[in-house]
């Protein structure tokens, strides 16, 4: 070992940085190359997370021994990662590089400056900044034009005087403007904004380049706070007419493609150019087409006003601008279509017949009432007014084909995989849980030992949770982790007294838990070959023929049904019509078993039929005799869902039981419990106030619609609640459920609308805001359905004090639907609004709706 190497290692081991600086400074490149591996090894031996003096000395020595700028940058990058977060890399580290060639130092400075281009450059101090500054000073190299370095230099400046005195700012500021987060920073710090404007005004910063950079950032888009910062900067710069005119193309692109606030600013600048006659006519027409195709009503309206100003200006030819205005004929808002037509109609006399022909072709997309007006004024053939109703066909989805439940699990690996997925899921589906439970019973009957071995591979079994939920109870009993023999046949909650009005969630959930407890008990001693209640259809329905086949197999093998299993199967059974029902009842009685006799009696009695009871509303009295306690609790009116009581009971063994299903309801499970009485499920949703949180379950409404039973007042009230409460991301689920009812000819739209019109009448709450969801439904082509809903709702929404916030738009939607489907009739409550002498949009749209209803599809729009 060379003496130099040994002395350097001794200094490093002693943590003596001064000695390290002295020794490395005297070494040549060959000696440094020899020393580097040993220094690296010393640094590796320092435990991570500790920073003794030897760490700093080794870090310094290693930097001084690097042969190239790239290697030095890699060393700094690697050692800085080992430092505590937020600590600066010692700026004195540059001292060990004294004597290096300036070019070598400059390259290292630029490489380290590039390392500063990371997220978070606006927060804290970058650990490499001081080191980079020292290297720039030592090498006298060009200023690094990297984003992170530029932002940090700006942050280190001490005000406007420093910025003006710094010769690098004209280079660094444009670079910093490109960094994500700069716009948000100038929005938060008004001093930065003022300094940038002052630099541009004083000439220290190229004003034109700054404006171009702002326009480019707005075109690039970004977070709202980022965009607001650059919008404010442009406002503070107070652009001159020439500066606006020079960038007309930028404003046109922003008006067409940017977010609405930015597009609005761009339109305002284009209006200034239009008024001054400085906007290229071709660019104006092209921009108009792009903006008028946007959905935002305010932007389209502003663009139409701009076109009106341009047509009145001597410099602009009216023909291309009026043709461009026809793009707005296709806008979904009737008020926008009306504004566009009025613009075109005002200037028709200034264009020739060829242009009028182009306009006439475009009026086909107007609503029928506006189309008739336009055709009359253009002098073309009038559309026939009478056959609209005959021609109209409601656009509805196809009636959903009933889906069979997933097939029985015949493969043990497939069963284990599905059970594992269910145990890992927060909210497993009811269909999957039913199939997995049936699969566990089947395989326990065939080969209990093989099933136990297969389940032992599941992580849930290897490390059981403190509380056991759902089918986990059965899984742990099979795995020997819980004693199934000592398990009660029903949950202990059954022993608690039943209140007059109980929690609906608890009642429905208790049925599922009772079945789990029963299976967990029987699976240890005498597992049946399969479960009777496993659904044959995805809604939870069990076909009567299938249940008879299952009971026949039970009789052949000498098995008796579990009480909870058979009772759930009876609740799920779809009863056929006579005489098929009598045939099945006779066959069931002929089995000679108690289970067969009970099924025969169920068929003969008519099964599950709700009746109206004064004290409970609808009830299921058939559950009150012969059914076990968990099922009897489902027989009456439920109380408010206040969440599930999560205080479970300890079970024998090391773990306790708690059904961690979470607060709220599981609508698919409610439907699967009584899938032949969807009206009863809907009523429980309403009486338990579960509908107040309906947005959480809107995606599952199609399951309730697909279930059996009549669609009565409760289901229509539930749909009305969903129209009001569902959030935009769940509209699709609500609309799909509603249109499925329409397609099945089971929906009373007027009744649903009446519920909306009477929404919490007499309370202090505001009327329902259903414009957006009904507009979305109308876009699917269901104009007649939307109108029928509105026809039921408007009588309750039109009186003073009950009016929705956007009544004008709601009336416009109603008129659009009427004009498209050809509906006729009267709404007496509409007269009070339509006969008002006011000139608001609400009054205008009320008159339009009344005329549409009176004249079918061919009214003239009131002026």
């Amino acid at each position: 070992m060379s003496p130099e190497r040994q002395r350097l290692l001794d200094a490093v081991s002693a943590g003596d940085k001064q000695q390290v600086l002295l020794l490395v400074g005297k070494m040549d490149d060959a000696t440094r190359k020899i020393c580097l591996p040993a220094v690296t090894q010393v640094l590796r031996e320092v435990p991570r997370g500790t920073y003794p003096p030897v760490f700093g000395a080794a870090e310094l020595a290693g930097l001084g021994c690097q042969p190239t700028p790239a290697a030095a940058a890699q060393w700094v990058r690697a050692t800085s990662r080992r430092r505590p977060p937020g600590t600066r890399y010692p700026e004195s580290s540059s001292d060990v590089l004294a004597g290096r060639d300036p070019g070598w130092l400059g390259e290292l400075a630029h490489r380290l400056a590039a390392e500063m281009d990371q997220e978070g450059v606006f927060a804290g101090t970058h650990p490499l900044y001081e080191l980079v500054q020292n290297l720039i000073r030592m090498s006298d190299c060009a200023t690094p034009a990297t984003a992170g370095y530029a932002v940090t230099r700006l942050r280190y400046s001490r005000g406007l005087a420093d910025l003006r005195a710094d010769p690098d700012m004209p280079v660094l500021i444009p670079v910093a403007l490109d960094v994500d987060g700069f716009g948000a920073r100038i929005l938060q710090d008004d001093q930065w904004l003022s300094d940038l404007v002052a630099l541009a005004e004083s000439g220290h910063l190229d004003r034109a380049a700054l404006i171009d950079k702002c326009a480019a950032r707005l075109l690039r888009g970004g977070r709202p706070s980022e965009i607001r910062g650059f919008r404010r900067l442009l406002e503070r710069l107070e652009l001159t007419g020439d500066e606006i005119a020079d960038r007309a193309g930028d404003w046109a692109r922003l008006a067409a493609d940017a977010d609405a606030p930015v597009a609005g600013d761009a339109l305002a600048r284009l209006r200034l150019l239009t008024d001054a006659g400085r906007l290229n006519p071709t660019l104006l027409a092209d921009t108009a087409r792009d903006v008028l195709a946007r959905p935002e009503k305010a932007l389209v309206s502003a663009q139409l006003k701009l076109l009106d100003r341009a047509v009145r200006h001597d410099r602009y030819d009216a023909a291309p601008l009026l043709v461009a205005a026809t793009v707005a004929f296709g806008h979904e808002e009737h008020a926008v279509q009306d504004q566009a037509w009025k613009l075109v109609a005002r200037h028709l006399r200034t264009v020739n017949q060829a242009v009028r022909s182009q306009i006439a072709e475009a009026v086909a997309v107007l609503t029928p009432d506006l189309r008739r007006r336009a055709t009359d004024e253009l002098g073309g053939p009038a559309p026939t007014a009478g056959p609209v109703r005959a021609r109209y066909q409601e656009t509805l989805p196809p009636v959903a084909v009933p889906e069979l439940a997933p097939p029985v699990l015949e493969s043990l690996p497939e069963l284990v995989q599905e059970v594992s997925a269910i145990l890992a899921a927060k909210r497993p589906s009811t269909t999957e849980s039913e199939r997995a439970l049936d699969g566990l019973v089947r395989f326990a009957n065939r080969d209990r030992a093989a099933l136990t071995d297969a389940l032992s591979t599941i992580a849930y079994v290897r490390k059981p949770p403190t509380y056991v939920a759902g089918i986990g109870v059965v899984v742990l009993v099979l795995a020997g982790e819980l004693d199934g023999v000592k398990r009660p046949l029903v949950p202990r909650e059954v022993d608690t007294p039943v209140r007059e009005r109980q929690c609906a969630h608890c009642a429905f959930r208790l049925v599922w838990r009772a079945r789990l407890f029963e299976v967990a008990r029987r699976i240890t001693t005498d597992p049946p070959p399969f479960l009777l209640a496993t659904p044959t259809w995805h809604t939870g329905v069990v076909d009567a023929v299938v249940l008879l086949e299952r009971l026949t197999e039970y009789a052949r093998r000498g098995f008796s049904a579990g009480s909870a299993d058979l009772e759930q199967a009876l609740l799920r059974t779809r009863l056929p019509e006579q005489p098929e029902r009598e045939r099945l009842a006779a066959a069931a009685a002929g089995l000679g078993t108690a289970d067969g006799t009970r099924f025969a009696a169920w068929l003969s009695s008519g099964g599950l039929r709700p009746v109206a009871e004064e004290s409970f509303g609808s009830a299921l009295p058939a559950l009150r005799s012969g059914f076990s306690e968990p099922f009897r609790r489902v027989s009456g009116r439920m109380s408010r869902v206040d969440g599930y009581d999560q205080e479970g009971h300890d079970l024998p063994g090391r773990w306790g039981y708690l059904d961690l299903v979470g607060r709220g309801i599981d609508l698919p499970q409610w439907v699967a419990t009584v899938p032949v009485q969807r009206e009863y499920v809907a009523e429980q949703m309403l009486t338990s106030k579960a509908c107040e949180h309906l947005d959480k379950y809107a995606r599952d409404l199609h399951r309730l619609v697909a279930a059996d039973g009549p669609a009565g007042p409760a289901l229509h009230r539930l749909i009305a609640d969903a129209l009001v409460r569902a959030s935009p991301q769940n509209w699709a689920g609500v609309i799909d459920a509603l249109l499925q009812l329409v397609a099945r000819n089971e929906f009373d739209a007027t009744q649903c609308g009446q519920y909306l019109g009477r929404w919490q009448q007499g309370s202090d709450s505001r009327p329902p805001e259903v414009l957006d969801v009904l507009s979305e439904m109308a876009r699917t082509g269901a104009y007649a359905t939307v109108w029928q809903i509105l026809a039921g709702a408007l009588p309750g929404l039109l009186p003073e004090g009950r009016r929705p916030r956007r009544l004008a738009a709601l009336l416009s939607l109603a008129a659009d639907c009427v004009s498209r489907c050809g509906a006729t009739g009267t709404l007496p409550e509409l007269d009070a609004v339509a006969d008002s002498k006011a000139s608001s949009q609400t009054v205008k749209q009320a008159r339009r709706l009344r005329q549409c209803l009176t004249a079918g599809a061919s009214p003239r729009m009131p002026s």
Side-chain angles (χ1 to χ4, degrees), residues 627-666:
F627 279 78
S628 59
E629 176 63 20
F631 291 87
R632 285 200 294 271
R633 296 195 177 196
V634 182
S635 64
R637 187 182 183 192
M638 311 298 179
S639 66
R640 182 184 181 90
V641 174
D642 291 320
Y644 181 68
D645 180 5
Q646 292 197 354
E647 294 186 4
H649 299 285
D650 290 336
L651 291 178
R654 290 161 41 197
W655 298 284
Y657 177 86
L658 180 60
D659 193 349
L660 294 175
V661 70
R663 296 186 177 274
I665 69 166
D666 184 352

Side-chain angles (χ1 to χ4, degrees), residues 340-547:
W341 169 246
K342 286 179 177 178
L343 164 64
V344 172
R346 273 196 299 271
H347 304 286
L348 271 178
R349 65 182 184 280
T350 64
V351 297
N352 58 31
Q353 186 57 42
V355 175
R356 292 169 70 94
S357 298
Q358 293 184 58
I359 295 172
E361 293 176 1
V363 301
V365 297
L366 290 170
T367 57
D369 55 323
L370 280 176
R371 186 164 62 246
R372 176 56 181 263
R373 280 180 55 202
T375 304
D376 288 347
E377 296 193 39
L378 287 167
T384 55
V388 174
R389 180 186 295 275
R391 295 197 311 267
Y392 176 73
Q393 289 290 329
E394 185 87 319
T395 303
L396 296 172
V399 178
V401 178
E403 299 177 25
L404 286 169
V408 171
L409 291 165
E410 298 290 355
S411 164
L412 185 56
E414 186 181 3
L415 170 64
V416 173
Q417 182 179 5
E418 182 147 329
V419 168
S420 180
I422 290 172
L423 294 174
K426 291 182 178 180
R427 283 181 177 259
S429 76
T430 302
T431 303
E432 292 171 349
S433 297
E434 289 279 0
R435 182 167 80 144
L437 186 63
D438 178 67
L440 291 171
V441 170
R442 288 174 182 269
F443 279 95
N445 177 271
R446 296 176 194 172
D447 190 344
R448 167 73 185 273
L451 177 60
T452 299
D453 290 343
L455 292 175
S456 65
T457 62
I458 299 177
Y460 185 92
V461 174
R462 294 198 303 269
K463 188 178 180 181
T466 305
Y467 296 106
V468 185
I471 65 170
V473 176
V474 179
V475 171
L476 292 184
V477 167
L478 285 167
E481 298 291 343
L482 290 178
D483 190 344
V485 176
K486 295 181 180 180
R487 171 164 298 283
L489 279 173
V490 294
R492 295 178 184 175
E493 292 92 321
V494 173
D495 297 332
T496 60
V498 180
R499 296 174 297 177
E500 181 179 353
R501 295 181 66 196
Q502 58 179 327
C503 169
H505 170 69
C506 296
F508 280 101
R509 193 66 181 165
L510 186 58
V511 169
W512 169 243
R513 295 184 62 192
R515 293 181 59 214
L516 289 173
F517 274 55
E518 182 179 82
V519 169
R521 178 71 177 272
R522 293 195 67 189
I523 208 168
T524 304
T525 57
D526 187 24
F530 47 79
L531 294 178
L532 299 175
T534 304
T536 52
W537 297 94
H538 77 289
T539 56
V541 165
V542 176
D543 280 338
V545 174
V546 173
L547 181 54

Side-chain angles (χ1 to χ4, degrees), residues 765-823:
S765 63
R766 299 180 64 177
E769 297 288 348
V770 291
L771 171 66
D772 294 330
V773 66
L774 291 182
S775 298
E776 187 70 22
M777 191 185 308
R779 292 188 193 103
T780 69
Y783 297 109
T785 300
V786 173
W787 161 242
Q788 290 165 12
I789 293 174
L790 287 173
L794 285 174
L797 300 178
L798 287 174
E800 288 284 355
R802 287 286 302 156
R803 294 178 180 176
R805 180 170 52 88
R806 294 183 289 175
L807 179 58
L810 201 64
L811 291 170
S812 175
L813 174 63
D816 288 347
C817 292
V818 167
S819 65
R820 291 179 185 275
C821 70

